[in-house]
Coordinates of all heavy atoms in Angstrom, one line a residue:
R1331 N 9.7 -2.9 0.8 CA 10.3 -2.2 2.0 C 9.3 -2.2 3.1 O 8.1 -2.1 3.0 CB 10.5 -0.7 1.6 CG 11.7 -0.5 0.6 CD 11.8 1.0 0.3 NE 10.7 1.5 -0.5 CZ 10.4 2.8 -0.5 NH1 11.0 3.7 0.1 NH2 9.3 3.1 -1.2
L1332 N 9.9 -2.6 4.3 CA 9.0 -2.6 5.5 C 9.7 -1.8 6.6 O 10.9 -1.8 6.8 CB 9.0 -4.1 6.0 CG 8.5 -4.4 7.4 CD1 7.0 -4.0 7.5 CD2 8.7 -5.8 7.8
R1333 N 8.8 -1.0 7.2 CA 9.2 -0.2 8.4 C 8.3 -0.5 9.6 O 7.1 -0.5 9.4 CB 9.2 1.3 8.0 CG 9.8 2.1 9.2 CD 9.8 3.6 9.0 NE 10.4 4.2 10.2 CZ 10.2 5.5 10.5 NH1 9.5 6.3 9.8 NH2 10.8 6.0 11.6
E1334 N 8.9 -0.6 10.7 CA 8.2 -0.8 12.0 C 8.5 0.4 12.9 O 9.7 0.7 13.1 CB 8.6 -2.1 12.7 CG 8.4 -3.3 11.8 CD 9.0 -4.6 12.5 OE1 9.0 -4.7 13.7 OE2 9.6 -5.4 11.7
S1335 N 7.5 1.1 13.4 CA 7.7 2.2 14.3 C 6.5 2.5 15.1 O 5.4 2.3 14.6 CB 8.1 3.4 13.4 OG 8.5 4.5 14.3
F1336 N 6.7 2.9 16.3 CA 5.6 3.2 17.3 C 4.5 2.2 17.3 O 3.3 2.5 17.4 CB 5.1 4.7 17.2 CG 4.6 5.1 15.8 CD1 3.3 4.8 15.4 CD2 5.5 5.8 14.9 CE1 2.9 5.2 14.1 CE2 5.0 6.2 13.7 CZ 3.7 5.9 13.3
G1337 N 4.8 0.9 17.2 CA 3.8 -0.2 17.2 C 3.1 -0.3 15.9 O 2.1 -1.1 15.8
A1338 N 3.5 0.4 14.8 CA 2.8 0.3 13.5 C 3.8 -0.4 12.5 O 5.0 -0.3 12.6 CB 2.4 1.7 13.0
Y1339 N 3.2 -1.0 11.5 CA 3.9 -1.7 10.4 C 3.5 -1.1 9.1 O 2.3 -1.0 8.9 CB 3.7 -3.2 10.5 CG 4.1 -3.9 11.7 CD1 3.5 -3.8 12.9 CD2 5.3 -4.7 11.7 CE1 3.9 -4.4 14.1 CE2 5.8 -5.3 12.8 CZ 5.0 -5.2 14.0 OH 5.5 -5.8 15.2
C1340 N 4.5 -0.9 8.2 CA 4.2 -0.4 6.9 C 5.0 -1.2 5.9 O 6.2 -1.1 5.9 CB 4.5 1.1 6.8 SG 4.3 1.8 5.2
W1341 N 4.2 -1.9 5.0 CA 4.9 -2.5 3.9 C 4.5 -1.7 2.6 O 3.4 -1.5 2.3 CB 4.2 -3.9 3.7 CG 4.6 -5.0 4.6 CD1 5.6 -6.0 4.5 CD2 4.0 -5.3 5.9 NE1 5.6 -6.8 5.6 CE2 4.6 -6.4 6.5 CE3 2.9 -4.7 6.6 CZ2 4.2 -7.0 7.7 CZ3 2.5 -5.2 7.8 CH2 3.2 -6.4 8.3
F1342 N 5.6 -1.3 1.9 CA 5.4 -0.7 0.5 C 5.9 -1.8 -0.4 O 7.1 -2.2 -0.4 CB 6.2 0.6 0.4 CG 5.5 1.8 0.9 CD1 4.2 1.7 1.5 CD2 6.1 3.0 0.8 CE1 3.6 2.9 1.9 CE2 5.5 4.2 1.3 CZ 4.2 4.1 1.8
V1343 N 5.0 -2.3 -1.3 CA 5.3 -3.4 -2.2 C 5.2 -3.0 -3.6 O 4.1 -2.6 -4.1 CB 4.3 -4.6 -1.9 CG1 4.6 -5.8 -2.8 CG2 4.2 -4.9 -0.4
D1344 N 6.3 -2.9 -4.3 CA 6.3 -2.7 -5.7 C 6.1 -4.0 -6.4 O 6.7 -5.1 -6.1 CB 7.7 -2.1 -6.2 CG 7.8 -0.7 -5.8 OD1 6.8 0.0 -5.6 OD2 9.0 -0.3 -5.6
V1345 N 5.1 -4.0 -7.3 CA 4.6 -5.3 -7.9 C 4.8 -5.3 -9.4 O 4.6 -4.3 -10.1 CB 3.1 -5.4 -7.7 CG1 2.5 -6.6 -8.5 CG2 2.8 -5.6 -6.2
S1346 N 5.3 -6.4 -9.9 CA 5.4 -6.7 -11.4 C 4.2 -7.6 -11.8 O 4.2 -8.8 -11.3 CB 6.7 -7.3 -11.7 OG 7.8 -6.4 -11.4
F1347 N 3.3 -7.1 -12.5 CA 2.2 -7.9 -13.0 C 2.7 -8.7 -14.3 O 3.5 -8.2 -15.1 CB 1.0 -7.1 -13.3 CG 0.3 -6.6 -12.1 CD1 0.4 -5.3 -11.7 CD2 -0.5 -7.4 -11.4 CE1 -0.3 -4.8 -10.6 CE2 -1.2 -7.0 -10.2 CZ -1.1 -5.7 -9.8
A1348 N 2.1 -9.8 -14.6 CA 2.4 -10.6 -15.8 C 2.1 -9.8 -17.0 O 2.7 -10.0 -18.1 CB 1.6 -11.9 -15.8
S1349 N 1.1 -8.9 -17.0 CA 0.7 -8.1 -18.1 C 1.7 -7.0 -18.5 O 1.7 -6.4 -19.6 CB -0.6 -7.4 -17.8 OG -0.5 -6.4 -16.8
G1350 N 2.7 -6.8 -17.6 CA 3.6 -5.6 -17.7 C 3.2 -4.4 -17.0 O 4.0 -3.4 -16.9
A1351 N 2.0 -4.4 -16.5 CA 1.5 -3.2 -15.7 C 2.3 -3.1 -14.4 O 2.8 -4.0 -13.9 CB 0.0 -3.4 -15.3
L1352 N 2.5 -1.8 -14.0 CA 3.2 -1.5 -12.8 C 2.2 -1.6 -11.6 O 1.0 -1.3 -11.8 CB 3.8 -0.1 -12.8 CG 4.8 0.1 -13.9 CD1 5.3 1.6 -13.8 CD2 6.0 -0.9 -13.9
G1353 N 2.7 -2.0 -10.5 CA 1.8 -2.0 -9.3 C 2.5 -1.5 -8.0 O 3.7 -1.7 -7.9
H1354 N 1.7 -1.0 -7.1 CA 2.2 -0.6 -5.8 C 1.1 -0.9 -4.8 O 0.0 -0.4 -4.9 CB 2.6 0.9 -5.8 CG 3.1 1.4 -4.5 ND1 4.3 1.1 -4.0 CD2 2.4 2.0 -3.4 CE1 4.5 1.6 -2.8 NE2 3.3 2.1 -2.4
L1355 N 1.5 -1.6 -3.8 CA 0.6 -2.0 -2.7 C 1.1 -1.4 -1.4 O 2.3 -1.4 -1.1 CB 0.5 -3.5 -2.5 CG 0.2 -4.3 -3.8 CD1 0.1 -5.8 -3.4 CD2 -1.1 -3.8 -4.4
D1356 N 0.2 -0.9 -0.6 CA 0.5 -0.2 0.7 C -0.3 -0.9 1.7 O -1.6 -0.8 1.8 CB 0.2 1.3 0.6 CG 0.2 2.0 2.0 OD1 0.5 1.3 3.0 OD2 -0.2 3.2 2.0
L1357 N 0.4 -1.7 2.6 CA -0.3 -2.3 3.8 C 0.3 -1.7 5.0 O 1.5 -1.9 5.3 CB 0.0 -3.9 3.8 CG -0.5 -4.6 5.0 CD1 -2.1 -4.6 5.0 CD2 0.0 -6.0 5.0
T1358 N -0.5 -0.9 5.7 CA -0.1 -0.1 6.9 C -1.1 -0.3 7.9 O -2.3 -0.1 7.7 CB 0.2 1.4 6.5 OG1 1.1 1.5 5.4 CG2 0.7 2.1 7.7
L1359 N -0.6 -0.7 9.1 CA -1.5 -0.8 10.2 C -0.8 -0.9 11.6 O 0.3 -1.4 11.6 CB -2.4 -2.0 10.0 CG -1.8 -3.4 9.9 CD1 -2.9 -4.4 10.0 CD2 -1.2 -3.6 8.5
P1360 N -1.4 -0.3 12.6 CA -2.7 0.5 12.5 C -2.3 2.0 12.2 O -1.4 2.5 12.8 CB -3.3 0.3 13.9 CG -2.1 0.2 14.8 CD -1.1 -0.5 14.0
V1361 N -3.1 2.6 11.3 CA -2.9 4.0 11.0 C -3.6 4.9 12.0 O -4.7 4.4 12.6 CB -3.3 4.4 9.6 CG1 -2.4 3.7 8.6 CG2 -4.8 4.0 9.3
R1362 N -3.1 6.1 12.2 CA -3.8 7.0 13.1 C -4.7 7.9 12.3 O -4.5 9.1 12.0 CB -2.8 7.9 13.8 CG -2.2 7.2 15.1 CD -1.5 5.9 14.9 NE -0.8 5.4 16.1 CZ -0.3 4.2 16.2 NH1 -0.3 3.4 15.2 NH2 0.3 3.9 17.4
M1363 N -5.8 7.3 11.8 CA -6.8 8.0 11.0 C -7.9 7.0 10.8 O -8.0 6.0 11.5 CB -6.2 8.4 9.6 CG -5.7 7.2 8.8 SD -4.9 7.7 7.3 CE -6.3 8.2 6.3
D1364 N -8.9 7.4 10.0 CA -10.0 6.5 9.7 C -9.5 5.3 8.9 O -8.4 5.3 8.3 CB -11.1 7.2 8.9 CG -12.4 6.5 8.9 OD1 -12.6 5.4 9.6 OD2 -13.4 7.0 8.2
W1365 N -10.3 4.2 8.9 CA -10.0 3.1 8.0 C -9.8 3.6 6.6 O -10.5 4.4 6.1 CB -11.2 2.1 8.0 CG -11.1 0.9 7.2 CD1 -11.1 0.8 5.8 CD2 -10.8 -0.4 7.7 NE1 -11.0 -0.5 5.5 CE2 -10.8 -1.3 6.6 CE3 -10.7 -0.9 9.0 CZ2 -10.6 -2.7 6.7 CZ3 -10.5 -2.3 9.1 CH2 -10.4 -3.2 7.9
H1366 N -8.7 3.2 6.0 CA -8.2 3.8 4.8 C -7.9 2.6 3.8 O -6.9 1.9 3.9 CB -6.9 4.6 5.0 CG -6.4 5.3 3.8 ND1 -7.2 6.1 3.0 CD2 -5.2 5.3 3.2 CE1 -6.4 6.6 2.0 NE2 -5.2 6.1 2.1
E1367 N -8.8 2.4 2.8 CA -8.6 1.3 1.9 C -9.2 1.7 0.6 O -10.2 2.3 0.5 CB -9.4 0.0 2.4 CG -9.2 -1.2 1.5 CD -9.9 -2.4 2.1 OE1 -10.6 -2.3 3.1 OE2 -9.9 -3.5 1.4
G1368 N -8.5 1.2 -0.5 CA -9.0 1.5 -1.8 C -8.0 1.1 -2.9 O -7.0 0.5 -2.6
F1369 N -8.3 1.6 -4.1 CA -7.4 1.3 -5.2 C -7.5 2.4 -6.3 O -8.6 3.1 -6.4 CB -7.5 -0.1 -5.8 CG -8.9 -0.4 -6.2 CD1 -9.4 -0.1 -7.4 CD2 -9.8 -1.0 -5.3 CE1 -10.8 -0.4 -7.8 CE2 -11.1 -1.4 -5.6 CZ -11.6 -1.1 -6.9
Q1370 N -6.6 2.5 -7.2 CA -6.6 3.4 -8.3 C -6.0 2.7 -9.5 O -4.9 2.0 -9.4 CB -5.8 4.7 -8.0 CG -6.0 5.8 -9.0 CD -5.6 7.1 -8.4 OE1 -5.0 7.2 -7.3 NE2 -5.8 8.2 -9.1
I1371 N -6.6 2.8 -10.6 CA -6.2 2.1 -11.8 C -6.1 3.1 -13.0 O -7.0 3.8 -13.2 CB -7.1 0.9 -12.2 CG1 -7.3 0.0 -11.1 CG2 -6.6 0.2 -13.5 CD1 -8.4 -1.1 -11.3
Y1372 N -5.0 3.1 -13.7 CA -4.8 3.9 -14.9 C -4.8 3.0 -16.1 O -4.0 2.0 -16.2 CB -3.5 4.6 -14.8 CG -3.2 5.4 -13.6 CD1 -2.0 5.4 -13.0 CD2 -4.2 6.2 -13.0 CE1 -1.7 6.1 -11.8 CE2 -4.0 7.0 -11.9 CZ -2.7 6.9 -11.3 OH -2.5 7.6 -10.1
G1373 N -5.8 3.2 -17.0 CA -5.9 2.4 -18.2 C -5.9 3.2 -19.5 O -5.9 4.4 -19.5
E1374 N -5.9 2.5 -20.5 CA -5.9 3.0 -21.9 C -7.1 3.8 -22.2 O -7.0 4.9 -22.8 CB -5.7 1.9 -22.9 CG -5.6 2.3 -24.4 CD -5.5 1.1 -25.3 OE1 -5.6 -0.1 -24.8 OE2 -5.2 1.3 -26.5
N1375 N -8.3 3.3 -21.8 CA -9.5 4.0 -22.2 C -10.2 4.6 -21.0 O -11.5 4.8 -21.1 CB -10.4 3.0 -22.9 CG -9.8 2.5 -24.2 OD1 -9.2 3.3 -25.0 ND2 -9.8 1.2 -24.4

């Protein structure tokens, strides 16, 4: 899903990994805040 508004672009990307894991990517710019980048992983152990 892509939204464009007030000069900003936001891609929300649902990802299917070959392993079967679920994925979600957020590419948004420019945001009205500090640089915001990172990741979170949920695993078995």
Side-chain angles (χ1 to χ4, degrees):
R1331 289 178 293 158
L1332 168 63
R1333 185 179 182 203
E1334 304 171 36
S1335 185
F1336 54 85
Y1339 294 75
C1340 178
W1341 287 263
F1342 277 0
V1343 183
D1344 287 333
V1345 171
S1346 297
F1347 288 103
S1349 67
L1352 301 180
H1354 179 79
L1355 309 181
D1356 169 4
L1357 177 66
T1358 304
L1359 58 166
V1361 291
R1362 276 59 173 172
M1363 59 185 292
D1364 194 5
W1365 182 283
H1366 182 55
E1367 183 182 356
F1369 53 87
Q1370 194 161 7
I1371 304 172
Y1372 306 135
E1374 181 181 8
N1375 301 315

